[in-house]
Structures are given as C-alpha cells and as structure tokens.
Amino acid sequence: MDNVGIVVDDLDAAVAFFTELGMELEGRMPIEGRWAGNVVGLRDMRSEIAMMRIPGGVPGRLELATYHAPRAIVPDPEVTPANTRGLHRVMFAVDDIEDTLARLRPHGAELVGEVTRFEDSYLLCYLRGPSGIILALAEQLS
C-alpha cells in the first residue's frame, strides 16, 4: 500500500494534528487540471494535498486533501458514528496513549468512547480528529 487518502476541511489544521501525532510532512502541492479530474471523476477539480509520512523510513503515508472546487460533500449527519459504511478508521501505534491524547486535544481531538484495556496486551481508544475523522490509538502493554 502506498497511502491512505483523507479529505479534510482545513488542510493546515490536519497537517498540524498529524505532525503532533508524530508524522512528518513530506510535501504539499496543488492538484488540478483535466488529468486530475479524470482520475477522480470530478469536472473542473481544484484541490491541494499534503503528504504525511511515518518517520524513520517506515512504510505508510497519509494523503490529506482539501477540495477548493467542487467543494467537498459533508455527510449527513456531519459527525458520523464508528459503524458508518466506508473508511472506518486509521490506527496508530503509540508509546504512551495518555500522553498522545494530551498532545492531540489542543488540536481538536476528542475521545469517541474511552481508553480501554484489552487483556494484558493493549490500551486502545478511538478519537475524532480534524474534519471528524475517526482515528484509533493502540499502546502495546507487553
């Protein structure tokens, strides 16, 4: 897999959020023109993307995109529950789940449920990030 794409309302806020999570900005650029619209099936498409990577040469990237034209469609309801069809969530392994949550809260992160222990293996939680994206965090205990 090369990357996972996520559409966001505020690209700067999303980049700041994922940077705080520990990802690095690989690059940022406008994407527009006939070729781009043909790929995604949107006429007169103009967007901007930011490619975020996991540091240390670990494979895995997020492509954050904001659409200037046509404007992104906001689902109804705007904040969808975890069982909504489509991309469910992206999970990140973290060293300290409470520290990570504390660092992400100033960037708008909100727990969906609660931090829960799975046996003696993991602490897990779901949280909402920029534009209502659901993320999961996992801290391995043993």
Side-chain angles (χ1 to χ4, degrees), residues 93-126:
V94 297
D95 294 328
D96 183 332
I97 206 165
E98 292 297 339
D99 175 67
T100 303
L101 286 169
R103 290 185 293 108
L104 293 177
R105 281 189 177 109
H107 295 276
E110 296 178 6
L111 281 172
V112 171
E114 57 189 52
V115 176
T116 303
R117 184 184 199 99
F118 174 70
E119 299 177 349
D120 290 329
S121 301
Y122 289 96
L123 290 177
L124 302 164
C125 71
Y126 275 22

Side-chain angles (χ1 to χ4, degrees), residues 19 78 81 87 106:
T19 298
E78 185 171 347
L87 180 64

Side-chain angles (χ1 to χ4, degrees), residues 70-91:
R71 293 304 243 170
I73 296 172
V74 178
D76 184 28
E78 185 171 347
V79 177
T80 57
N83 63 345
T84 302
R85 281 188 179 175
L87 180 64
H88 180 60
R89 53 108 179 110
V90 177
M91 181 175 274

Side-chain angles (χ1 to χ4, degrees), residues 29-33 35-36 45-49 63:
M29 65 185 288
I31 303 290
E32 56 188 45
W35 72 270
M45 189 209 76
R46 289 185 308 105
S47 67
E48 184 179 2
I49 66 164
E63 179 182 298

